[in-house]
Amino acid sequence: MSSLSSLIQRHSTLGDDERAWIVELAKDWQLLTDLACADLVLWVRTTDDDFVAVAQGRPSSAPTLFYRNLLGQRVREQWAEELERGYQEGVAVRSTEPDWFDEIPTQLTVTPVTMRDRGRHQERDERPIAMITRHTNLASGRSVTRQEMTFRECSDDLFGMIEVGDFPDPEAPQISRRGAPRASDGLIRLDTEGIVTFASANALSAMNKLGFGGELEGESLTEVAASLVEGRGRVTVDEALPLVVAGRAPWMTDVEAREVTVTLRAIPLRADGERVGAIVLCRDTTDVRHQQQELITKDATIREIHHRVKNNLQTVAALLRIQARRSRTDEARDSLTQAMRRVSSIAVVHDTLAGGFNQQVDFDDVFTRVMRLITEVSSSDAHVRPEFRGSFGQLPSEYATPLALALTEIVTNAVEHGLDGREGEVLVTAERDDEGLHVNVSDTGVGVEPERIGAGLGTQIVRTLVEGELGGTIAWGRGDEGGTVVSIDIPNRWNRAEPAEGGFDGDESTVVY
């Protein structure tokens, strides 16, 4: 659950659909903030009829007012009246007098967030699901540029759409905001006919790199794009391009020409249900695409390395198996068989890594194959019934290899020593929680003697792997009905640095800009 969704759930009674709508809106929170050239705060209604801030945005296009976070705070008394009025009436409210904040005059604008029912597109809910306050700094002595005026006009259009439930567009496809164009990267404003009425300097620069010469304003962006497609050099486009450059669909596409890649994203603008134009954001993503291609190449190389390592390990295991069969003493045969099994369990991990682009391992699949391997190659005459319950989940490769090797040793001991020559079962249970991974291995064998724990090479290897490489703890004991129970606890260190899913700041972990 994202930080934003958690805050909403903690402070309000909004349902899943309402929370999802707000989360979708917040994906464009920085875009809205930059276009407004103002600080934004998103508020939700509390159970005691107050408002709590759940998201905050600081503009990159203007000086910020709020240097401290407002998240989780209740609305200030100076904003409460306008916020309550906007909520009750379901309309935008703009303060008639300057709103003073830290001795700085500001313009306060309140906008209700309305959610449209996907099945009833022309209807709107009776009450807003959230409220947005815009705090525009009025103290600046500089003159307002044409770009800033256009940004604010686009912002007014978008906030008008938010008020009636037209933004975010419920029918828009899901797009990744990573690497997507921002307002400062380049903005083109189109009228209803697709004619450019404004193009920022960065937008013009991006189009010039693709091969377009001249001014964009007054030109049809569709015709400009067509000239690039028909122009010199290699050009790569997709079928979404005509709709994007015409501003008719909320899509995103890439244009490649002259070894330059420009990403375009269209946001259609509506008023009173009619299309009034569009915003087209553009960004030179040449370096980003090159980096992505390099990552794909490196991922493919890593997969090939894992594949070759797996093949080499299987070759080593095969050589050990051949040598074990030709050994003349039982002790040598057992030692070589154990070494072969250890090598084979490591090969299983590399085989799994070779099948995907990420370095996360589905350890449930790995362990199922390891258990099958152990019971198949076991030198014991026992009729073993292995059983696995629970789930290990996804683990990084650096955890998967030592854990697979440690469990190989533990299960092997249970099969070959605890159940030597007898029928029985080996039960492995795995459970994950916020603290970490908890694994129990129990058998119905003869049970381990306390004085023998740690005496063998296998238990020494297991202790080294669990305590040294995994940073966990391990304990041996006897079960209530006999047999041996081995408990392993591994702290949850592998995902502590991971960002919360769906966050909205630079590192996608919180909801503050």
Side-chain angles (χ1 to χ4, degrees), residues 278-297:
I279 302 170
V280 178
L281 303 173
C282 52
R283 179 184 180 186
D284 182 355
T285 54
T286 305
D287 292 340
V288 175
R289 294 295 177 261
H290 286 169
Q291 291 173 0
Q292 290 177 345
Q293 189 59 46
E294 289 176 0
L295 288 175
I296 292 174
T297 302

Side-chain angles (χ1 to χ4, degrees), residues 62-110:
T64 184
L65 290 168
F66 305 140
Y67 290 95
R68 294 180 178 84
N69 290 341
L70 301 178
L71 295 185
Q73 296 184 20
R74 291 179 178 261
V75 63
R76 298 193 175 196
E77 185 178 353
Q78 66 191 88
W79 307 327
E81 183 179 348
E82 286 85 355
L83 206 59
E84 181 67 26
R85 178 186 165 195
Y87 179 79
Q88 294 296 339
E89 298 180 6
V91 296
V93 176
R94 179 167 297 182
S95 62
T96 57
E97 299 292 334
D99 175 58
W100 292 86
F101 183 85
D102 287 348
E103 299 183 354
I104 299 174
T106 68
Q107 173 75 59
L108 174 66
T109 306
V110 177

Side-chain angles (χ1 to χ4, degrees), residues 49-193:
D49 295 333
D50 201 355
F51 294 94
V52 169
V54 294
Q56 178 180 348
R58 299 183 178 95
S60 60
S61 54
T64 184
L65 290 168
F66 305 140
Y67 290 95
R68 294 180 178 84
N69 290 341
L70 301 178
L71 295 185
Q73 296 184 20
R74 291 179 178 261
V75 63
R76 298 193 175 196
E77 185 178 353
Q78 66 191 88
W79 307 327
E81 183 179 348
E82 286 85 355
L83 206 59
E84 181 67 26
R85 178 186 165 195
Y87 179 79
Q88 294 296 339
E89 298 180 6
V91 296
V93 176
R94 179 167 297 182
S95 62
T96 57
E97 299 292 334
D99 175 58
W100 292 86
F101 183 85
D102 287 348
E103 299 183 354
I104 299 174
T106 68
Q107 173 75 59
L108 174 66
T109 306
V110 177
T111 302
V113 178
T114 301
M115 184 186 76
R116 283 197 185 277
D117 191 316
R118 294 172 186 266
R120 300 179 291 112
H121 189 69
Q122 295 304 317
E123 298 183 20
R124 53 182 292 185
D125 292 344
E126 295 181 359
R127 287 289 174 85
I129 61 173
M131 304 295 294
I132 300 174
T133 55
R134 272 181 284 174
H135 306 263
T136 306
N137 191 336
L138 301 178
S140 176
R142 63 180 177 82
S143 59
V144 178
T145 64
R146 183 163 175 254
Q147 173 171 304
E148 186 172 336
M149 290 178 59
T150 304
F151 276 22
R152 291 182 177 179
E153 290 172 0
C154 295
S155 169
D156 289 339
D157 289 334
L158 287 175
F159 277 100
M161 294 168 62
I162 292 172
E163 182 180 347
V164 298
D166 282 339
F167 190 84
D169 189 336
E171 298 178 359
Q174 293 291 328
I175 60 173
S176 172
R177 298 311 195 273
R178 290 188 178 275
R182 300 160 297 188
S184 58
D185 294 324
L187 182 141
I188 299 172
R189 176 70 186 252
L190 303 179
D191 63 14
T192 55
E193 302 299 324

Side-chain angles (χ1 to χ4, degrees), residues 472-488:
T473 59
I474 183 169
W476 283 265
R478 295 181 67 88
D480 295 336
E481 300 179 0
T484 302
V485 177
V486 183
S487 299
I488 299 175

Side-chain angles (χ1 to χ4, degrees), residues 242-449:
L243 291 175
V244 171
V245 295
R248 295 182 176 276
W251 294 350
M252 188 164 67
T253 186
D254 288 340
V255 180
E256 298 180 21
R258 301 168 60 177
E259 300 183 352
V260 174
T261 302
V262 172
T263 299
L264 302 176
R265 180 194 174 191
I267 304 176
L269 300 176
R270 298 184 181 89
D272 298 326
E274 300 292 332
R275 194 170 67 88
V276 295
I279 302 170
V280 178
L281 303 173
C282 52
R283 179 184 180 186
D284 182 355
T285 54
T286 305
D287 292 340
V288 175
R289 294 295 177 261
H290 286 169
Q291 291 173 0
Q292 290 177 345
Q293 189 59 46
E294 289 176 0
L295 288 175
I296 292 174
T297 302
K298 289 179 180 178
D299 282 338
T301 302
I302 292 173
R303 290 176 63 192
E304 179 62 22
I305 290 172
H306 283 305
H307 179 71
R308 295 188 183 187
V309 169
K310 181 262 297 183
N311 288 344
N312 291 339
L313 290 172
Q314 288 181 336
T315 301
V316 173
L319 293 175
L320 290 171
R321 185 183 297 109
I322 294 172
Q323 191 66 41
R325 291 174 178 172
R326 296 187 178 185
S327 297
R328 298 183 179 180
T329 64
D330 292 341
E331 183 178 359
R333 186 180 303 109
D334 289 344
S335 297
L336 290 170
T337 300
Q338 291 176 11
M340 179 271 296
R341 188 182 299 114
R342 291 164 185 156
V343 172
S344 297
S345 65
I346 299 174
V348 170
V349 177
H350 283 277
D351 186 31
T352 305
L353 288 170
F357 279 105
N358 59 50
Q359 294 300 296
Q360 295 285 321
V361 179
D362 182 359
F363 201 79
D364 293 341
D365 177 60
V366 170
F367 184 65
T368 301
R369 296 167 63 184
V370 167
M371 282 193 69
R372 189 182 307 119
L373 172 69
I374 294 170
T375 54
E376 286 178 355
V377 302
S378 173
S379 60
S380 171
D381 295 328
H383 299 286
V384 180
R385 297 188 302 275
E387 185 177 355
F388 171 47
R389 298 176 185 172
S391 175
F392 292 95
Q394 296 283 331
L395 292 177
S397 59
E398 58 267 27
Y399 276 76
T401 300
L403 182 58
L405 191 52
L407 292 176
T408 297
E409 295 294 329
I410 295 172
V411 177
T412 299
N413 284 340
V415 173
E416 296 191 346
H417 300 294
L419 296 171
D420 188 14
R422 338 173 15 174
E423 279 195 33
E425 65 178 20
V426 177
L427 173 63
V428 180
T429 61
E431 180 183 356
R432 284 178 71 162
D433 56 27
D434 293 338
E435 297 298 322
L437 176 64
H438 312 284
V439 184
N440 280 347
V441 182
S442 59
D443 63 65
T444 58
V446 297
V448 63
E449 298 296 334

